[in-house]
């Protein structure tokens, strides 16, 4: 009897370690009417080398003669997060879907400073001979788009900036007073340590994805709770395969970001999207951006930092309307 119980316990523990993400995601998710996200793949796939030393993986799809639209994902994400937006836009726009350095299929980065990411974007625009593209960025991708727009104000047709800060994002998140207090004595040393021990942290992130711990993290940090279980697992899987040393370096470089004085240099029409329950970027940050760029408009949607998945239909309506007004 004791042996049977021990065997049962070991088998149960093994199943939880390997497949815990499934029951955990079911328990903390809701019924979302949107289709389950899946990996999309373009026929046109390229690697583009930048003067920063970074190499970026890019997928291209949509009519060749259509308005170019560049999609820039956030830190710890990849081009895969744009499933709902790609599905809507690929028929009418020339989509350029980018993996930021070290993310997705892009090789390890030389630099993740936002100024260098903007230079990487300039390399993509030049290599693909894009004329006045629309930029659509999420989080770090939106910070990159802002940097590019302020540096090359005449080279952009319009920009969509979703869930991003205009300054160090540690100062515009929930409980920012605590995060700022911990930034130097705790957060920075921890991030530096994780960069020095990548194998350990890669092992932990993969294990935590399988057993469901990272599912809980993503549910309560990135979503409001109205996401489906498949959406939650999809995003958690993307993050699990992003090298932790890349994530750590990106978080360190975000501390250096500052656009406050340069927002006025952004002259292209900008749609700034915030979310009512975004724990990583409070709504006032987006309102500040929209108010201080030359032609900004602000929209608030339901959901959290990943409303582009959680409430993709509402986000897509906003995006479609803005693009129609800025043809």
């Amino acid at each position: 009897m004791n042996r049977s119980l021990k065997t049962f316990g070991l088998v149960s523990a093994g199943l939880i370690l390997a497949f815990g993400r499934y029951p955990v995601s079911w328990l903390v998710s809701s019924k979302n009417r949107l289709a389950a996200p899946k990996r999309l793949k373009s026929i046109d796939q390229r690697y583009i080398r930048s003067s920063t030393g970074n190499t970026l993986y890019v997928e291209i799809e949509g009519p060749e003669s259509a308005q170019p639209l560049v999609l820039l994902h956030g830190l710890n994400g990849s081009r895969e997060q744009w499933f709902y937006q790609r599905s809507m836009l690929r028929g009418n726009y020339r989509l350029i879907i980018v993996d930021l350095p070290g993310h997705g299929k892009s090789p390890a980065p030389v630099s993740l400073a936002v100024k260098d990411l903007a230079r990487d974007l300039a390399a993509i625009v030049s290599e693909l001979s894009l004329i006045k593209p629309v930029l659509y960025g999420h989080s770090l991708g939106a910070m990159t788009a802002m940097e590019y727009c302020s540096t090359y104000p005449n080279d952009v047709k319009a920009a969509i900036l979703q869930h991003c800060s205009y300054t160090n994002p540690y100062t515009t998140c929930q409980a920012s007073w605590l995060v700022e207090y911990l930034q130097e004595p705790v957060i920075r040393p921890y991030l530096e340590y994780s960069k020095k021990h990548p194998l350990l942290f890669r092992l932990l992130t993969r294990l935590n994805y399988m057993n469901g711990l990272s599912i809980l993290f993503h549910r309560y940090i990135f979503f409001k709770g109205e996401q489906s279980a498949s959406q939650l697992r999809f995003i958690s899987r993307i993050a699990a395969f992003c090298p932790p040393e890349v994530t750590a370096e990106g978080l360190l470089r975000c501390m250096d970001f500052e656009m406050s004085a340069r927002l006025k240099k952004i002259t292209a029409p900008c749609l700034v999207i915030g979310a009512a329950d975004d724990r990583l970027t409070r709504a006032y940050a987006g309102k500040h951006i929209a108010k201080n760029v030359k032609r900004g408009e602000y929209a608030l949607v339901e959901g959290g930092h990943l409303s582009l998945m959680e409430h993709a239909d509402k986000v897509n309506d906003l995006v479609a309307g803005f693009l129609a007004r800025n043809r």
Side-chain angles (χ1 to χ4, degrees), residues 26 29 39 71 84 87 127 135 159 164 187 196 198 260 269 289 316 320:
W26 297 330
S29 295
R39 296 179 181 180
L71 298 176
Y84 298 105
S87 298
E127 177 72 19
L135 307 180
C164 69
I187 297 174
K196 293 176 182 177
S260 300
I289 295 169
N316 284 0

Side-chain angles (χ1 to χ4, degrees), residues 7 26 39 52 67-68 92 94 158 199 219 244 250 277:
T7 301
W26 297 330
R39 296 179 181 180
T52 64
Q67 167 67 48
N92 298 309
R94 185 67 167 167
L199 184 59
R219 156 61 185 90
D277 294 280

